[in-house]
Amino acid sequence: MLSKKKTVEVIEAMGELFPDAKCELTHRNAFELLIAVMLSAQTTDVSVNKITPNLFDRYPTPEAFTTAPLEDIMNAIKTIGLYRNKAKYIKGCCQKLVDEFNGEVPRTRKELESLPGIGRKSANVVLSVAFNVPAIAVDTHVERVTKRLGICPPDATVRQVEEILMKKLPPEMWSIAHHRLIFFGRYQCTARNHDHTVCLQLVGLK
C-alpha cells in the first residue's frame, strides 16, 4: 500500500492532469445540489444536467416539490434511471426539509443522512461542495482508482476506503482529492480495458 507521502504525491499529480477537477453536477445553491446528487445515483452527471434546469425552474424550492403531484415529478425526471424511486425520495426529502429544517439544507452529516434518499456518500458531496466542509465521497470511480493504484487494499469496503483516504491525506486535501480521483477514473483510468501502465506513469508510480 502507498505511504501517506506517496498518496499525497499521487493526488497532486492528478491535480496537474486535471487542474479544473470539480463537481460536474450543475447547481446554483445547496438545495439544487442536494436534489442533483439524489438524481445522480447510478446515472451519469451528464444525464442529470440535461433535466435539472427545467426541473428547478418548475420546482425552485423544497416547498414547490412538496405541493407537486408525484406523477408530475416522475414525468419531469423520467429520462434517468430509477426515476420512480427518485421522485418518491425527492418528495419525502423536501417534506422533511420543510417540516424539520425550515426549508434549508442542513449542514451536518447526521442531519443530511436523516433525509430520505441521502446516504453517507451523498451527504459528503453536499458537505464538501455546498458548505466547504472537508469530506471524501467514495463513489465507484474513487473506490476503483484507489484500489488499482494501491492506496487502498482490494478488499476494502467503501467506508474503509473513505477512512484510509482520510488518514493518508491532510483534511485540506480531502475535498479536492475526491474530485481529482473522480476525474482520473472518469477520463483516464476508466473501468474499460486500457493500458494501465500509462495511468501509473502519469501519477509517478512507474
Side-chain angles (χ1 to χ4, degrees):
M1 294 296 100
L2 300 188
S3 65
K4 287 183 179 182
K5 181 174 181 290
K6 196 65 188 172
T7 301
V8 169
E9 289 173 0
V10 165
I11 298 301
E12 287 178 340
M14 289 179 187
E16 292 178 17
L17 290 169
F18 301 104
D20 300 320
K22 64 182 188 302
C23 177
E24 292 192 296
L25 289 169
T26 304
H27 64 281
R28 293 170 294 192
N29 52 53
F31 173 65
E32 290 188 359
L33 176 65
L34 180 73
I35 300 302
V37 167
M38 293 172 70
L39 290 169
S40 70
Q42 298 179 45
T43 306
T44 65
D45 289 358
V46 172
S47 299
V48 174
N49 289 340
K50 285 178 181 175
I51 66 167
T52 46
N54 286 336
L55 184 70
F56 295 139
D57 281 347
R58 192 183 302 181
Y59 310 114
T61 63
E63 291 82 0
F65 275 110
T66 62
T67 57
L70 186 60
E71 285 291 325
D72 289 1
I73 300 173
M74 285 184 187
N75 285 332
I77 66 171
K78 66 183 178 184
T79 57
I80 61 171
L82 308 174
Y83 73 93
R84 289 185 179 85
N85 279 340
K86 289 176 181 178
K88 291 173 188 171
Y89 282 137
I90 288 171
K91 199 162 171 64
C93 175
C94 289
Q95 192 64 59
K96 187 154 185 170
L97 288 177
V98 171
D99 293 344
E100 298 183 25
F101 299 104
N102 297 315
E104 297 292 323
V105 177
R107 292 171 175 253
T108 70
R109 182 183 287 110
K110 184 178 180 182
E111 288 175 324
L112 283 165
E113 286 190 59
S114 77
L115 299 170
I118 298 295
R120 186 176 179 87
K121 181 191 79 173
S122 298
N124 281 345
V125 172
V126 175
L127 287 172
S128 168
V129 176
F131 302 127
N132 295 312
V133 175
I136 298 172
V138 179
D139 71 352
T140 54
H141 296 299
V142 174
E143 181 180 6
R144 189 184 74 253
V145 169
T146 53
K147 290 177 178 180
R148 290 207 76 181
L149 297 182
I151 295 171
C152 301
D155 59 349
T157 64
V158 169
R159 184 65 177 268
Q160 286 170 335
V161 169
E162 180 185 340
E163 290 169 352
I164 289 166
L165 285 169
M166 289 167 73
K167 285 176 185 169
K168 290 190 173 183
L169 298 170
E172 61 269 21
M173 283 188 75
W174 291 356
S175 295
I176 193 60
H178 153 76
H179 295 305
R180 288 173 181 174
L181 283 162
I182 288 174
F183 269 57
F184 192 72
R186 188 176 282 164
Y187 303 115
Q188 171 57 45
C189 190
T190 65
R192 296 185 297 277
N193 283 335
H194 62 278
D195 185 356
H196 189 57
T197 56
V198 175
C199 305
L200 296 173
Q201 289 167 351
L202 286 170
V203 294
L205 294 178
K206 198 89 173 175

